[in-house]
Amino acid sequence: MKKIVLILGFICFLTNSYAQLLQDKSNFTRQDTLRGSVTAEREWWDLTYYHLDIEVKPDEKFISGKNTIQYEVLKPNQVMQIDLQSPMEITKVLQDGQELEVNHQGNAHFITLTKDQNIGGVNSIEVHYKGQPKEAKRAPWDGGFSWKKDQNGKHFIATSCQGLGASVWWPNKDHMYDEVDSMLISITNPKGLTNVSNGRLKALMDNGNNTITSHWFVNNPINNYGVNVNIGDYVNFSEVYKGEKGNLDLDYWVLKDNLEKAKEHFKDAPKMMKAFEHWFGPYPFYEDSFKLVEVPYLGMEHQSSVTYGNQYKKGYLGNDLSQTGWGLKFDFIIIHEAGHEWFANNITYKDAADMWIHEGFTAYSENLFLDYYYGKEASADYVIGTRANIQNDKPIIGTYNVNNEGSSDMYYKGANMLHTLRQLVEDDKKWREILRGLNSEFYHKTVTTKEIEDYISKKTDKDLSAFFNQYLRDVRIPTLEFKIEDGKLKFRYINIVNDFDMPIEVSINGKKEWLFPDAEWKTKTIGTSDFKVDRDYYIEVNKL
């Protein structure tokens, strides 16, 4: 009878899950599919190089120019998908000087190539475009261009486009699975203002017409939303950090009125680099340097050009997200956004549904920073304190192939999942090796959740499939039910996925022991009522 009930329950679970899937799918449009899937018009060619060459006209909130897209042919096809969002407009597309036909389907544009696309061949197209890009309403969450002015009335401009997509302001292959190998970013703007983009400044040209053009070269693969433009009345200061791979240039670009303030406040940057190279391995972009760039919004993880707008305050705009006091020991934006250089910019998700790989590991990096400077208990206080921010509203993993991210719980539920996993490893040296190993194994690569799960399972020599299913694909938090009668402890898990049997550490009469709960009641003679569950495990506890 018990087996029949379990089977019926499982069928019900599958039916409800399928119904939910159908409901979820019905919420998405063809545009979502064109944006979020590897279409036939994308998969046949591999990005090798971009040259983005545009002029920014702040008074008109207008940009125009072209993106030269170089690619290698992987399989025969004559139609290429390029993405650019309305109201931006593609004016023409050229290959070898010949104008090509473009079929516009919303934000996806299908270009018919007349030249034979031979496998192994390396070709390029020029996509010319113009328009007034979407203005950010609440950057960086609702991004686009931020057209602001500083306190002296000078233009202060920045881009941000995670989730929304880089195609909100420039034409590109707007899917995360294929990162361009290198890139030149040429930005023309009014004289008297400075543009800072990714990589290193290779040339600055005075055009003789009251404009200047800066040429920034990115030597490493870069994800599309990581590309940025920042224009302001900037001044620069810098230092050299002696890192694991040698000398690393740390450059800081701030509004000139904030120079002295920034020189003091940005001391968190080399501290961050020291802690994260310890935990995660060498900074992944030595060739491109590391920059902090002041912007008129909170900040973002743009590769080698991390943007900063935390008002020169500790914490998150002066607040402690953990409510423990430890969150005020560092500038949240410097630590969190720079942590993304390892998880987001080095290791990048292939599909937006797996965004937790970026945000879970990087939220976890906040408490590893504390661990490095203040110790293990401080870091545990912090990450456990952030549990109050978890909603458990929907699964952390989103819907695949439609550019859909999962729950915002990917931040602090993700961080607490990793903190729990650290306890299961039982060896901090091995845990550090795993974190560094991820950044080595998947160096400059795009990945799936499965690849991350498989790597960690292999390195821990544990079957973690039920563990990841519980925390990534289910909204329930495992609950340990227990009761103590006549010196005997009875315990089990409820609110769990199939096969979930995570061991936990407990204290019995002041002595640490391991407990091995699963879905069935178990009994253990303890001879005391002094029983506590270790706080480092992200579970709920219910004493009956």
Side-chain angles (χ1 to χ4, degrees):
M1 183 65 184
K2 184 177 178 183
K3 288 184 178 178
I4 294 173
V5 171
L6 284 172
I7 291 168
L8 288 173
F10 184 59
I11 291 171
C12 182
F13 170 77
L14 287 177
T15 304
N16 289 338
S17 298
Y18 183 64
Q20 184 64 45
L21 179 64
L22 290 177
Q23 183 180 0
D24 289 345
K25 286 291 186 183
S26 69
N27 293 330
F28 299 108
T29 65
R30 172 169 163 73
Q31 283 296 306
D32 293 323
T33 300
L34 289 175
R35 170 81 169 83
S37 60
V38 182
T39 62
E41 293 79 14
R42 280 174 169 159
E43 68 172 351
W44 67 269
W45 56 283
D46 177 58
L47 273 172
T48 57
Y49 179 74
Y50 282 138
H51 179 196
L52 180 62
D53 184 3
I54 65 172
E55 181 174 4
V56 179
K57 296 182 176 180
D59 290 335
E60 303 169 36
K61 297 184 178 179
F62 184 87
I63 64 175
S64 62
K66 65 180 179 179
N67 187 22
T68 301
I69 303 171
Q70 185 187 85
Y71 61 95
E72 180 182 356
V73 179
L74 303 179
K75 60 172 70 171
N77 203 314
Q78 295 297 128
V79 181
M80 172 183 286
Q81 178 182 340
I82 295 296
D83 305 286
L84 184 67
Q85 298 178 33
S86 177
M88 301 305 294
E89 174 190 356
I90 292 177
T91 55
K92 63 180 176 181
V93 179
L94 304 176
Q95 184 161 66
D96 297 339
Q98 180 182 357
E99 187 164 350
L100 302 175
E101 179 185 339
V102 184
N103 177 16
H104 307 283
Q105 296 186 28
N107 298 326
H109 309 272
F110 296 91
I111 300 159
T112 300
L113 305 169
T114 57
K115 177 181 178 179
D116 287 341
Q117 304 297 306
N118 299 314
I119 293 174
V122 176
N123 304 317
S124 65
I125 61 169
E126 289 181 4
V127 181
H128 295 250
Y129 76 112
K130 66 179 182 179
Q132 291 182 304
K134 178 182 183 295
E135 188 165 352
K137 295 177 183 176
R138 186 172 169 258
W141 300 280
D142 188 357
F145 257 78
S146 293
W147 305 97
K148 305 292 184 181
K149 292 192 175 179
D150 66 20
Q151 61 186 21
N152 299 315
K154 291 196 171 184
H155 288 291
F156 191 21
I157 302 161
T159 58
S160 58
C161 55
Q162 185 184 18
L164 183 63
S167 57
V168 73
W169 67 275
W170 61 286
N172 63 91
K173 188 182 196 176
D174 204 359
H175 192 287
M176 299 290 284
Y177 88 101
D178 188 8
E179 293 187 341
V180 71
D181 297 335
S182 61
M183 181 172 186
L184 180 63
I185 305 166
S186 302
I187 306 297
T188 300
N189 56 263
K191 206 169 179 179
L193 299 173
T194 299
N195 171 68
V196 183
S197 289
N198 315 78
R200 293 184 183 269
L201 182 62
K202 293 299 183 181
L204 185 62
M205 301 170 56
D206 188 328
N207 300 314
N209 60 355
N210 208 33
T211 67
I212 57 173
T213 301
S214 57
H215 299 276
W216 295 82
F217 183 70
V218 183
N219 194 69
N220 289 289
I222 184 169
N223 62 55
N224 43 42
Y225 82 82
V227 177
N228 69 348
V229 167
N230 308 287
I231 299 172
D233 187 16
Y234 288 125
V235 292
N236 168 244
F237 66 101
S238 62
E239 60 185 311
V240 175
Y241 176 79
K242 296 188 182 302
E244 288 194 14
K245 291 176 69 174
N247 290 338
L248 171 62
D249 294 321
L250 306 183
D251 267 295
Y252 311 108
W253 295 84
V254 299
L255 295 180
K256 65 179 183 180
D257 289 352
N258 294 330
L259 178 59
E260 295 307 316
K261 189 190 305 182
K263 284 181 176 179
E264 178 62 31
H265 196 79
F266 284 4
K267 288 179 180 178
D268 267 0
K271 286 182 65 178
M272 169 280 301
M273 196 63 68
K274 187 175 182 181
F276 289 168
E277 284 210 330
H278 169 82
W279 282 110
F280 301 142
Y283 172 70
F285 309 106
Y286 269 71
E287 301 86 352
D288 291 326
S289 79
F290 173 84
K291 297 187 295 297
L292 274 180
V293 187
E294 186 172 3
V295 291
Y297 64 88
L298 187 61
M300 267 292 294
E301 68 259 26
H302 304 107
Q303 183 173 311
S304 73
S305 181
V306 172
T307 49
Y308 176 84
N310 201 39
Q311 302 175 10
Y312 298 96
K313 296 178 180 179
K314 295 292 188 181
Y316 182 98
L317 293 171
N319 299 304
D320 177 7
L321 294 177
S322 75
Q323 301 298 312
T324 64
W326 291 113
L328 297 177
K329 296 292 185 181
F330 59 92
D331 184 307
F332 175 90
I333 290 299
I334 294 176
I335 304 309
H336 179 90
E337 302 305 343
H340 276 305
E341 294 280 40
W342 285 264
F343 292 97
N345 299 337
N346 184 36
I347 303 173
T348 307
Y349 63 72
K350 284 183 177 175
D351 191 293
D354 289 335
M355 192 184 286
W356 79 272
I357 297 169
H358 294 197
E359 302 300 352
F361 279 97
T362 305
Y364 180 62
S365 77
E366 298 159 24
N367 73 288
L368 289 182
F369 175 85
L370 287 167
D371 188 303
Y372 189 84
Y373 289 104
Y374 299 99
K376 202 168 179 178
E377 284 304 303
S379 71
D381 286 346
Y382 179 83
V383 72
I384 292 167
T386 63
R387 290 176 187 171
N389 303 317
I390 300 172
Q391 301 297 312
N392 288 312
D393 57 344
K394 59 180 181 178
I396 286 177
I397 291 180
T399 304
Y400 289 97
N401 298 318
V402 286
N403 193 46
N404 173 253
E405 61 191 64
S407 169
S408 61
D409 283 346
M410 69 179 77
Y411 289 83
Y412 292 119
K413 187 175 179 181
N416 274 280
M417 176 188 76
L418 292 169
H419 181 67
T420 300
L421 189 50
R422 178 183 183 178
Q423 317 311 312
L424 298 178
V425 171
E426 292 185 85
D427 182 339
D428 284 348
K429 182 181 178 183
K430 178 183 278 192
W431 182 235
R432 179 181 167 220
E433 288 173 356
I434 289 169
L435 295 174
R436 290 174 66 94
L438 283 166
N439 278 279
S440 175
E441 178 78 12
F442 302 111
Y443 185 75
H444 292 176
K445 291 181 180 177
T446 59
V447 301
T448 64
T449 287
K450 185 177 187 308
E451 287 176 296
I452 298 297
E453 289 184 35
D454 289 349
Y455 180 88
I456 296 175
S457 293
K458 180 180 177 181
K459 293 300 179 181
T460 58
D461 197 26
K462 297 177 187 293
D463 181 359
L464 295 170
S465 53
F467 175 87
F468 285 118
N469 285 339
Q470 183 74 54
Y471 289 108
L472 295 178
R473 300 177 178 90
D474 201 285
V475 297
R476 297 170 298 170
I477 299 306
T479 300
L480 179 74
E481 285 192 333
F482 78 94
K483 56 186 174 181
I484 300 172
E485 295 176 347
D486 301 324
K488 290 186 177 180
L489 172 70
K490 288 192 68 177
F491 60 94
R492 70 171 180 179
Y493 277 135
I494 61 169
N495 297 329
I496 55 173
V497 300
N498 289 338
D499 300 323
F500 185 84
D501 59 356
M502 180 179 73
I504 53 172
E505 290 176 281
V506 299
S507 171
I508 299 174
N509 210 18
K511 181 183 176 183
K512 278 197 167 187
E513 293 190 31
W514 281 96
L515 211 61
F516 298 89
D518 56 28
E520 303 297 326
W521 282 108
K522 292 184 177 181
T523 302
K524 179 181 177 68
T525 300
I526 60 174
T528 180
S529 60
D530 183 4
F531 174 79
K532 294 178 182 176
V533 177
D534 192 311
R535 66 178 186 149
D536 288 315
Y537 295 80
Y538 183 40
I539 63 172
E540 294 180 347
V541 179
N542 180 24
K543 183 178 181 181
L544 299 176

